[in-house]
Amino acid sequence: MAEENQVAEQQQTPSEPVETTTVDWRNDLPEDLREDPSLKTIQDVPGLAKSYIHSQKMIGKDKIVLPNEHATKQDWDDVFNKLGRPASAEEYKIEGEASDLINNFKPVAHDLGLNNNQVQKLVEFYNGVQEQASNDQVIDAEAHKAEAEANLRKEFGRAFPHKISSAMRLAQTVFTKDQLDNTKLADGSTLGNNVDLIKGFAKLADQLGEDRPLPNPQENIMTPDAAREKIASFMEPGSPYWNKSHPNHLKAIDDVLKLREIANDTE
């Protein structure tokens, strides 16, 4: 019975914890290898084996050593050449538009160490920006032209075709067609669609033609303002417009009605 109790007590006694010790695999290496910095990140022998296998696979591959702050131009040239830079600027092969600006950029690209693919991408970006800028200019020019025409139609009314024709004929005696179409002014308009300039030429054309007979109202080439002035002269006190017995009374009334159509017509 005593023996059974003794066995039971022994079974109930907890076992002592087993202390484990970590053995550094580097301890078996010579001291000069043990302290080498390249081994500090390797935790065990399997890790060492993986590192060795990886190194073996890299043998024979072309590796690029980045130059430090003391590197020479030749050091960087060696790197650029390994990264694909052509031997000379003339050897860049660029697809698409080849302008003088792009050709002048090639030596700069070569000095920067760019490879052919990088230069091609830059040229494509530049051409895209230029194309968009050109499209924007066309849109702006059309917008200015439409705005100018609307303003002039409102002011000239039925006389718009005649006024524009006279103004542009006179303008072309001073400027070339290219100047009228492409010379940009500060407000974004061109000479040929600038409202103030066209109005100035139209007024000058009228002054140069003052020695000719005034247009008949039926010709519908008067401006609304000119029609209003004519109406005022027809309706002066004592004029045939107010005198029913005057032989030109009915004609004066008819002329005023037609002039009012011109004065109120801004198309």
Side-chain angles (χ1 to χ4, degrees):
M1 195 65 180
E3 291 178 356
E4 293 177 358
N5 291 336
Q6 185 177 2
V7 172
E9 289 176 359
Q10 290 177 350
Q11 291 176 345
Q12 294 175 0
T13 302
S15 59
E16 295 292 333
V18 179
E19 294 184 2
T20 59
T21 58
T22 302
V23 178
D24 191 341
W25 65 274
R26 299 176 187 82
N27 292 338
D28 295 331
L29 297 176
E31 185 175 353
D32 58 332
L33 298 178
R34 187 189 313 153
E35 301 301 328
D36 192 287
S38 64
L39 299 178
K40 288 185 177 180
T41 58
I42 300 176
Q43 303 299 321
D44 48 31
V45 174
L48 177 64
K50 289 181 181 179
S51 178
Y52 174 78
I53 292 171
H54 178 72
S55 299
Q56 287 296 108
K57 289 181 178 180
M58 293 297 295
I59 293 177
K61 292 189 176 182
D62 190 15
K63 295 176 287 296
I64 299 175
V65 179
L66 293 179
N68 57 29
E69 66 272 15
H70 304 296
T72 63
K73 183 179 182 302
Q74 184 58 52
D75 293 332
W76 280 108
D77 283 342
D78 291 341
V79 172
F80 296 149
N81 292 338
K82 289 181 179 179
L83 290 173
R85 181 181 69 172
S88 66
E90 291 75 18
E91 294 184 32
Y92 282 114
K93 305 298 182 183
I94 308 301
E95 298 178 2
E97 182 181 351
S99 65
D100 290 339
L101 179 61
I102 292 173
N103 288 329
N104 292 334
F105 172 67
K106 288 182 179 181
V108 178
H110 192 267
D111 189 55
L112 291 172
L114 303 181
N115 59 39
N116 198 89
N117 184 59
Q118 291 170 322
V119 174
Q120 178 68 48
K121 292 297 183 183
L122 287 173
V123 169
E124 290 174 0
F125 173 77
Y126 170 78
N127 287 338
V129 170
Q130 290 296 99
E131 183 179 358
Q132 184 61 49
S134 178
N135 292 338
D136 290 344
Q137 286 181 347
V138 172
I139 293 173
D140 289 344
E142 291 298 325
H144 280 293
K145 183 178 180 180
E147 182 181 4
E149 181 175 331
N151 290 334
L152 290 170
R153 282 186 180 277
K154 182 177 181 180
E155 180 163 346
F156 291 157
R158 295 184 183 183
F160 174 80
H162 170 74
K163 291 287 186 181
I164 293 298
S165 177
S166 299
M168 295 311 295
R169 280 201 306 271
L170 184 58
Q172 288 171 1
T173 66
V174 181
F175 302 105
T176 65
K177 185 177 185 305
D178 181 67
Q179 289 173 326
L180 290 170
D181 291 342
N182 300 314
T183 302
K184 281 289 189 74
L185 302 178
D187 63 354
S189 65
T190 62
L191 285 174
N193 62 34
N194 181 268
V195 172
D196 293 331
L197 190 66
I198 293 174
K199 287 166 61 176
F201 275 113
K203 184 176 181 180
L204 183 57
D206 286 344
Q207 292 175 349
L208 292 174
E210 282 182 350
D211 56 333
R212 296 195 300 258
L214 290 175
N216 190 298
Q218 285 87 338
E219 294 179 4
N220 293 330
I221 59 174
M222 301 181 75
T223 66
D225 287 341
R228 294 186 191 101
E229 292 178 3
K230 198 70 175 175
I231 290 171
S233 68
F234 274 142
M235 299 182 66
E236 289 179 352
S239 67
Y241 181 86
W242 301 106
N243 186 354
K244 294 183 179 180
S245 61
H246 195 285
N248 291 329
H249 173 67
L250 294 179
K251 183 178 184 304
I253 292 177
D254 185 57
D255 286 344
V256 168
L257 289 174
K258 291 177 180 178
L259 287 167
R260 281 176 175 167
E261 289 181 7
I262 298 174
N264 296 327
D265 186 3
T266 58
E267 292 196 355

